[in-house]
Amino acid sequence: MDYSILEKCVLFVSISPNDLPHLLTCIEARKKSILTGEYLWLADEQVNHLGIVLSGSLELVKENPAGIKHILDFVGPGQLFGEGIVCTKMRLSPVTVRARENSDILFLPFTRIIRACEHSCGFHHQIIHNMLMLLGEKNRILNRKIELLALKGMREKLATYLLYEADKQNSQSFTIIPNRNELAEYLNVSRSSMCRELGRMKELGMIDYYQNSFKILSKEALTRCLL
C-alpha cells in the first residue's frame, strides 16, 4: 500500500507515518478496488465504514423524486467520505456513492476508530480527535455548497467555486476533479452556458484553463464578481 497518500489524509494528522501500518491493522482497515461506474453504496443504505480514496475518484449523488440526478461532491485521492453518515443514529446514507473511474478505496470500521483497543495504542486518542475535527470541516463544506447553490448568476457560481478550490488546494494553479458535464451538474447550471461564461472570464483575464487545469490570474477580479 502507498502510505504517502494516507500521510496526507487529515484523519491521520499528528500520527507518525511509522505507526500507520500498525494503526490500519488495529482498526481492521480493508482495501477494495472498484471499477468505473460501480456503486459503493446507494442512498438509504446503512453505512458502517468511512472510506479514504487511495486512487481514482468518486462522486456523491442525490436524486430527487423525479429521478433527476444532482452531484453534491467529488472525492479524490487522500480524501475521506462517509464520515458524516457513520456518526448519525441510523447511519443511513442520504447519497449514492459511485466510482467516476477505476479506484482503490480503504474502508475503516467506524466502531474501531472511536474506541481505544485493548492494547491502549497511543494513536487512538489522536484519531478520535481528528475525527471530531473532520466533522466540523464537513459541516463547513456543506454550508459552502448551500451558499453556492443559492447564488443566481453564472459568473458568481464559477468565481465562488474556483476561489474555493484555490483555497482548498492552497494554490492559484490547481486541477479540479469534475469534467465539464459533471461541473455543470454540480453547479446546477447548463453546460453550454457555463462553458461560454468560462470563455468570457478567460478573455477578461480573470482565469486561464486547459481541460481540468485552472489558474487564477486575478483573484481581485473574481472576488468582485461576488459583490
Side-chain angles (χ1 to χ4, degrees):
M1 183 182 298
D2 183 4
Y3 289 100
S4 63
I5 293 292
L6 299 181
E7 290 171 19
K8 300 173 184 176
C9 180
V10 291
L11 185 63
F12 304 124
V13 167
S14 299
I15 294 175
S16 170
N18 295 329
D19 284 333
L20 282 177
H22 178 49
L23 183 155
L24 297 181
T25 299
C26 187
I27 63 177
E28 299 178 0
R30 61 182 178 86
K31 180 180 174 182
K32 181 178 181 180
S33 297
I34 57 173
L35 302 177
T36 303
E38 275 195 84
Y39 294 93
L40 275 77
W41 62 69
L42 302 176
D44 296 324
E45 283 189 12
Q46 189 174 66
V47 177
N48 295 306
H49 296 70
L50 59 106
I52 302 173
V53 177
L54 300 176
S55 66
S57 59
L58 311 173
E59 61 182 17
L60 310 185
V61 180
K62 182 77 173 179
E63 288 190 5
N64 67 17
I68 298 174
K69 182 181 74 171
H70 182 66
I71 298 176
L72 297 181
D73 206 355
F74 303 93
V75 189
Q79 296 180 323
L80 286 112
F81 61 97
E83 68 274 22
I85 302 170
V86 296
C87 290
T88 61
K89 183 178 180 180
M90 301 300 292
R91 298 180 185 172
L92 298 178
S93 177
V95 299
T96 293
V97 182
R98 175 181 174 272
R100 296 179 62 256
E101 56 190 311
N102 294 348
S103 304
D104 290 325
I105 310 298
L106 188 68
F107 286 105
L108 313 174
F110 177 62
T111 54
R112 298 290 298 179
I113 291 176
I114 61 171
R115 297 174 185 168
C117 68
E118 60 273 16
H119 304 295
S120 299
C121 300
F123 48 68
H124 275 290
H125 296 293
Q126 184 62 48
I127 202 171
I128 292 171
H129 172 79
N130 293 347
M131 187 72 183
L132 292 173
M133 296 294 290
L134 272 169
L135 293 174
E137 180 65 15
K138 175 67 70 172
N139 185 60
R140 185 176 70 89
I141 291 172
L142 288 175
N143 285 333
R144 280 194 172 186
K145 181 61 188 290
I146 292 171
E147 292 171 3
L148 185 62
L149 292 176
L151 296 173
K152 298 188 181 301
M154 180 74 74
R155 188 169 294 181
E156 282 181 286
K157 287 177 180 282
L158 288 168
T160 300
Y161 175 78
L162 294 172
L163 287 169
Y164 168 62
E165 284 296 321
D167 178 59
K168 183 171 73 171
Q169 300 188 39
N170 195 31
S171 174
Q172 299 303 295
S173 298
F174 51 87
T175 299
I176 64 174
I177 294 176
N179 58 34
R180 293 294 185 269
N181 284 331
E182 293 167 335
L183 181 57
E185 285 187 31
Y186 179 76
L187 297 176
N188 197 27
V189 297
S190 159
R191 180 189 184 280
S192 56
S193 298
M194 182 193 73
C195 290
R196 284 196 297 271
E197 187 58 42
L198 282 172
R200 294 189 191 103
M201 294 168 73
K202 184 175 182 178
E203 290 173 0
L204 291 171
M206 297 180 177
I207 60 173
D208 194 13
Y209 60 84
Y210 177 73
Q211 296 181 349
N212 282 27
S213 296
F214 283 80
K215 182 177 183 179
I216 293 180
L217 301 178
S218 176
K219 184 176 181 180
E220 293 76 14
L222 284 185
T223 302
R224 283 198 298 271
C225 297
L226 310 181
L227 300 178

